């Protein structure tokens, strides 16, 4: 499937500051504003693969919430798929957000335990007014795309393993063929071999849908496989931005240097498996 | 060489719903004094269960078989277990998630006092004095930590405090169960460095549990690879990384993303079988690209291939 406007801008954030109001004091009478994102600017072109890299508390997930139309920023402009999303009334925002696919962080907690897998994956299609048989067709296609057996459609999530749950989440995120795919730590809850399967799967899907893909992760090595360009976030500020290979080879900011250095594991001569050379 | 840990056909299972599920099956291995030994595996491989058996913290409903010795003292024989004088004194344990394992209602100093008072009857002053020394060793400033509650410390500080607390008992075998998996990348490196340093400074025998082959290679001298409760490969770290024998070991190595090296990630379809889901034959049979006729019928025994390099696979 190709998209006419695949070179268009998928996301643009200009000087965005956002945060949360936190209850303060014994009776929670006062509310304090805690700023998480501080003047973040970011551009993602259509069809582009971008990673947002940062440690816990750097504002990665908050950034995704802002893009998803779930958290109104205090300052700055947010343009998603050509719309200033916060200028649209909240009730109408789904018209833009239905063109987004989202894979939340923890597969073990992100699936409704009372719904069968088939119903979970059908949900994003509910506003598209498709005939029933086409809906079923699309759900089957999505399940096939994530390499699950059709029999899982009749299961409840509790019967699935972590890797299978993650695939169901991905199927739900791509069933409506989104133009923008947002992934929040898509592999951090998985084992290494399952992680590799999911990485290969996501790249296959991105290539097929030609969608923009934004991956939020704390793992530079994983990002290497899921993105071409990276934005490094530290305490809510973008400290470095550029081609991922370039950042890995020649990190400019102090924080990026620390990140890259932490992968050499502090050994001067690590035993490199023969298959890597 | 004195053996710190010696396991002979050690099996550990859990009783669930009137069914006995074996999490570890007939594992035999030895860890020498002062050695750094890594057990690598994915979830459900049984690696944490081996760690619990060594540390003496198996739950009461666990069922054991075979033998386990700590410093020559028999702690597991068949389904009999006795860790008296071993747990805490000879062997100590660093858990996976420090935030969830430190007592949230006690200041760090009090946690040291409780442990040391229980084990050795130290009074508060003596316990705090000891705490200071071990916190310093773990790279923390004692005054900034002793009168804090765990939630007032960052994740990396919590893990350091947990390590100091474990070591303060004077135990010489440290079992660390994925101590870095809940930490950010740059803290992971610091904790690994800390463990390497402590091993030398305190003369520890280190038993490290991880799912990361490369981390295991950087930290340890020998690696044991577990799959579905079986120990499938055991050998010197360098050998195992450079010339993995078991197909599962090569898959583990080649499915890890490595920074700065871009190569296709190798995967074999499927996931590890859940406990009790195993039939006859090799546990890796369903996913193995090199399987033979015999693999379906019989579980391969461990064989020595090369110097102290063992593998349980019919290919050898």
């Amino acid at each position: 499937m190709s998209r006419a406007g695949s070179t268009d801008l998928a996301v643009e954030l200009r000087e965005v500051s956002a945060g949360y109001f936190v209850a303060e004091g014994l009776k929670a009478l006062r509310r304090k504003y805690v700023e998480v994102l501080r003047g973040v600017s970011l551009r993602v072109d259509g069809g582009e693969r971008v990673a947002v890299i940062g440690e816990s508390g750097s504002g990665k997930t908050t950034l995704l919430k802002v893009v998803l139309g779930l958290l109104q920023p205090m300052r700055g402009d947010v343009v998603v798929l050509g719309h200033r999303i916060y200028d649209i009334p909240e009730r109408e925002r789904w018209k833009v957000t239905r063109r987004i696919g989202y894979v939340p962080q923890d597969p073990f907690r992100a699936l409704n335990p009372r719904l069968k897998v088939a119903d979970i994956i059908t949900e994003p299609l509910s506003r598209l007014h498709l005939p029933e048989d086409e809906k079923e067709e699309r759900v089957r296609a999505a399940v096939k795309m994530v390499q699950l057996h059709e029999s899982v459609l009749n299961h409840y999530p509790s019967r699935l393993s972590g890797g299978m749950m993650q695939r169901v989440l991905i199927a739900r995120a791509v069933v409506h063929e989104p133009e923008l795919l947002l992934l929040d730590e898509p592999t951090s809850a998985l084992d290494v071999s399952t992680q590799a399967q999911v990485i290969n799967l996501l790249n296959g899907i991105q290539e097929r849908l030609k969608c923009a893909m934004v991956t939020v992760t704390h793992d530079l090595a994983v990002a290497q496989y899921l993105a071409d360009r990276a934005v490094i976030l530290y305490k809510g500020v973008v400290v470095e931005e550029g081609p991922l290979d370039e950042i890995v080879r020649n990190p400019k900011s102090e924080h990026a240097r620390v990140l890259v250095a932490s992968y050499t594991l502090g050994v001067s001569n690590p035993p490199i498996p023969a298959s890597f050379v | 060489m004195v053996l710190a840990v010696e396991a002979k056909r050690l099996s550990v299972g859990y009783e669930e719903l009137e069914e006995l599920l074996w999490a570890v099956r007939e594992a035999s291995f030895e860890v020498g004094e002062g050695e750094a030994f890594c057990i690598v595996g994915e979830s459900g491989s049984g690696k944490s269960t081996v760690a619990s058996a060594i540390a003496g913290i198996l739950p009461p409903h666990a069922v054991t078989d075979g033998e386990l010795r700590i410093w020559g003292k028999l702690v597991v024989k068949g389904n009999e277990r006795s860790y008296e004088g071993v747990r805490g004194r000879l062997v100590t344990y660093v858990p996976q998630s420090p935030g969830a394992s430190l007592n949230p209602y006690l200041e760090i100093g009090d946690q040291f006092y409780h442990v040391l008072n229980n084990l050795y009857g130290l009074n508060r002053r003596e316990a705090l004095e000891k705490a200071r020394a071990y916190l310093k060793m773990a790279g923390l400033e004692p005054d900034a930590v002793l009168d804090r509650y765990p939630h007032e410390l960052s994740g990396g500080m919590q893990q350091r405090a947990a390590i100091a607390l474990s070591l303060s008992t004077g135990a010489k075998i440290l079992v660390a169960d994925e101590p870095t998996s809940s930490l950010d990348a740059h803290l992971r490196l610091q904790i690994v460095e800390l463990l390497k340093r402590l091993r030398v400074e305190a003369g520890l025998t280190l038993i490290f549990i991880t799912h990361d082959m490369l981390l295991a290679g950087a930290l340890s001298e020998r690696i044991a690879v577990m799959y579905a409760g079986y120990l499938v490969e055991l050998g010197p770290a360098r050998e195992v990384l450079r010339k993995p024998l078991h197909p599962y070991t090569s898959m583990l190595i080649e499915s890890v993303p490595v920074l700065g090296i871009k190569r296709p990630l190798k995967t074999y379809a499927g996931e590890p079988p859940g406990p009790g889901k195993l039939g006859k034959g090799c546990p890796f049979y369903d996913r193995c690209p090199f399987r033979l006729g015999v693999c379906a019928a019989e579980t391969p025994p461990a064989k020595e291939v090369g110097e102290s390099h063992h593998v349980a696979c019919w290919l050898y």
Side-chain angles (χ1 to χ4, degrees):
Chain A
M1 197 179 93
S2 72
R3 251 180 246 284
S6 64
T7 52
D8 289 346
L9 213 54
V11 180
E12 185 170 20
L13 304 185
R14 274 190 297 257
E15 294 290 321
V16 167
S17 296
Y20 305 93
F21 286 95
V22 191
E24 211 187 16
L26 212 52
K27 289 182 179 166
L29 292 177
R30 277 162 294 148
R31 302 220 300 161
K32 190 174 79 175
Y33 175 66
V34 180
E35 193 158 83
V36 179
L37 294 178
R38 296 181 289 158
V40 169
S41 298
L42 168 75
R43 273 176 67 112
V44 181
D45 289 330
E48 197 187 13
R49 302 187 311 156
V50 174
V52 177
I53 299 165
E55 57 189 73
S56 340
S58 60
K60 307 183 297 269
T61 301
T62 304
L63 190 142
L64 287 189
K65 280 189 186 167
V66 168
V67 175
L68 278 164
L70 297 174
L71 179 71
Q72 175 135 27
M74 292 301 266
R75 281 181 299 281
D77 293 329
V78 182
V79 183
V80 179
L81 299 168
H83 297 268
R84 285 168 169 273
I85 193 163
Y86 291 98
D87 289 353
I88 305 172
E90 213 172 327
R91 298 179 59 138
E92 303 281 308
R93 253 173 234 165
W94 60 272
K95 288 177 182 164
V96 179
T97 53
R98 72 174 174 193
R99 292 158 62 197
I100 306 177
Y102 171 55
V103 178
Q105 189 163 14
D106 186 349
F108 297 95
R109 282 188 293 178
L111 293 170
N112 186 339
R114 287 163 179 258
L115 290 184
K116 285 189 176 170
V117 169
D119 299 324
I120 290 172
I121 300 178
T122 314
E123 257 190 321
L125 299 176
S126 59
R127 290 215 160 156
L128 295 187
H129 307 295
L130 296 171
E132 275 311 308
D133 53 341
E134 197 187 329
K135 268 191 198 173
E136 275 174 34
E137 189 47 50
R138 286 234 202 158
V139 170
R140 269 200 296 274
V143 168
K144 209 172 146 195
M145 210 188 312
V146 296
Q147 295 157 18
L148 280 175
H149 194 266
E150 261 186 40
S151 64
V152 300
L153 286 173
N154 288 317
H155 291 173
Y156 287 98
S158 56
R159 279 192 56 186
L160 308 179
S161 69
M164 287 162 89
M165 285 187 195
Q166 192 65 304
R167 284 162 202 263
V168 169
L169 283 173
I170 294 170
R172 180 176 74 180
V174 300
V175 67
H176 53 301
E177 299 187 342
E179 290 155 65
L180 171 63
L181 187 55
L182 303 176
L183 311 167
D184 194 352
E185 300 272 13
T187 64
S188 64
L190 305 177
D191 275 314
V192 261
S193 73
T194 328
Q195 163 173 289
Q197 291 171 5
V198 168
I199 287 174
N200 292 344
L201 182 72
L202 285 169
N203 280 328
I205 289 172
Q206 192 271 341
E207 222 163 86
R208 218 171 118 191
L209 296 180
K210 305 266 185 292
C211 55
M213 187 159 93
V214 178
T215 309
V216 152
T217 178
H218 70 274
D219 193 327
L220 212 47
V222 167
Q224 208 179 212
Y225 283 88
L226 289 171
D228 305 303
R229 202 157 62 79
V231 172
I232 298 193
L233 213 54
Y234 182 63
K235 293 186 176 164
V237 178
V238 174
V239 292
E240 190 158 344
E241 191 184 347
L244 195 49
D245 293 343
E246 180 62 31
I247 294 180
V248 170
R249 230 174 311 140
N250 183 19
K252 292 192 179 64
S253 63
E254 179 57 32
H255 187 65
R257 266 200 291 276
V258 171
L259 263 182
V260 172
S262 65
Y263 281 86
T264 58
L265 286 168
V267 275
S268 49
N269 183 21
I272 294 290
S275 51
F276 289 8
V277 188
Chain B
M1 188 170 67
V2 187
L3 287 179
V5 179
E6 185 182 8
K8 272 192 197 146
R9 304 178 72 84
L10 176 71
S11 299
V12 186
Y14 299 103
E15 274 196 66
E16 263 172 45
L17 301 172
E18 297 177 14
E19 200 184 353
L20 181 59
L21 303 176
W22 290 105
V24 177
R25 295 160 194 255
E26 306 203 342
S28 298
F29 61 92
E30 293 164 354
V31 183
E33 183 185 1
E35 195 181 9
F37 184 77
C38 260
I39 304 176
V40 184
E42 299 185 274
S43 21
S45 64
K47 59 186 193 302
S48 288
T49 302
V50 172
S52 304
I54 296 171
I57 50 170
L58 285 173
H61 65 275
V63 177
T64 47
D65 199 14
E67 273 181 27
L68 179 68
R69 282 168 204 274
I70 309 282
W71 290 128
K73 188 179 181 328
L74 197 60
V75 290
V76 175
K77 184 170 170 54
N79 198 19
E80 300 284 308
R81 299 195 287 281
S82 160
Y83 287 92
E84 216 165 307
V86 174
R87 189 194 293 117
R89 290 173 193 248
L90 297 182
V91 52
T92 184
Y93 177 78
V94 177
Q96 192 161 2
S97 163
S101 59
L102 292 168
N103 188 334
Y105 292 126
L106 287 182
E107 292 169 3
I108 299 294
D110 283 336
Q111 315 215 14
F112 275 90
Y113 168 62
H114 277 257
V115 168
L116 296 171
N117 181 265
N118 265 322
L119 272 176
Y120 304 113
L122 297 193
N123 64 29
R124 230 190 122 72
R125 194 183 46 79
E126 292 165 337
L128 287 182
E129 206 168 292
K130 217 167 177 185
R132 282 174 181 280
Y134 281 98
L135 285 170
K136 250 187 218 155
M137 207 160 151
L140 289 170
E141 183 51 56
D143 289 319
V145 181
L146 276 175
D147 51 2
R148 296 275 178 101
Y149 288 94
H151 75 268
E152 296 179 288
L153 307 178
S154 69
M157 286 165 89
Q158 285 175 352
Q159 191 60 289
R160 281 169 193 273
I163 291 172
L165 186 59
S166 307
L167 291 181
S168 67
T169 64
K172 289 293 180 208
I173 304 175
L174 181 71
V175 180
D177 189 0
E178 302 230 32
T180 61
S181 64
S182 61
L183 300 175
D184 279 319
H186 72 280
L187 292 174
R188 211 176 297 167
L189 173 71
Q190 290 177 12
I191 295 295
V192 168
E193 300 254 273
L194 172 69
L195 288 173
K196 284 170 81 171
R197 181 167 61 78
L198 287 178
R199 197 189 133 213
V200 180
E201 278 178 19
L204 294 176
T205 304
L206 187 61
I207 295 173
F208 192 85
I209 314 293
T210 179
H211 61 269
D212 186 337
M213 266 315 257
L214 300 180
L215 182 64
L219 187 69
S220 68
E221 284 142 10
R222 280 196 309 143
I223 293 179
V225 181
M226 290 191 70
Y227 184 78
Y230 288 92
L231 218 161
V232 295
E233 185 161 353
L234 173 67
R238 218 162 255 273
E239 279 283 299
V240 173
L241 278 170
R242 282 196 180 270
K243 282 186 238 129
L245 297 175
H246 201 282
Y248 176 64
T249 312
S250 9
M251 186 201 75
L252 267 189
I253 293 171
E254 291 180 40
S255 60
V256 188
V258 180
L259 195 69
I261 300 174
K262 257 202 193 168
R263 71 212 143 92
L265 296 179
K266 191 153 128 192
T267 59
Y268 300 155
E271 288 180 41
K277 299 251 170 71
L278 278 179
K280 278 194 301 183
C282 174
F284 197 53
Y285 179 77
D286 289 339
R287 301 173 75 185
C288 186
F290 310 107
R291 60 188 171 201
L292 311 166
V294 60
C295 302
E298 278 181 73
T299 312
K303 263 169 277 187
E304 186 162 356
V305 180
E307 209 177 314
S308 347
H309 196 163
H310 298 77
V311 64
C313 177
W314 286 117
L315 290 174
Y316 301 93

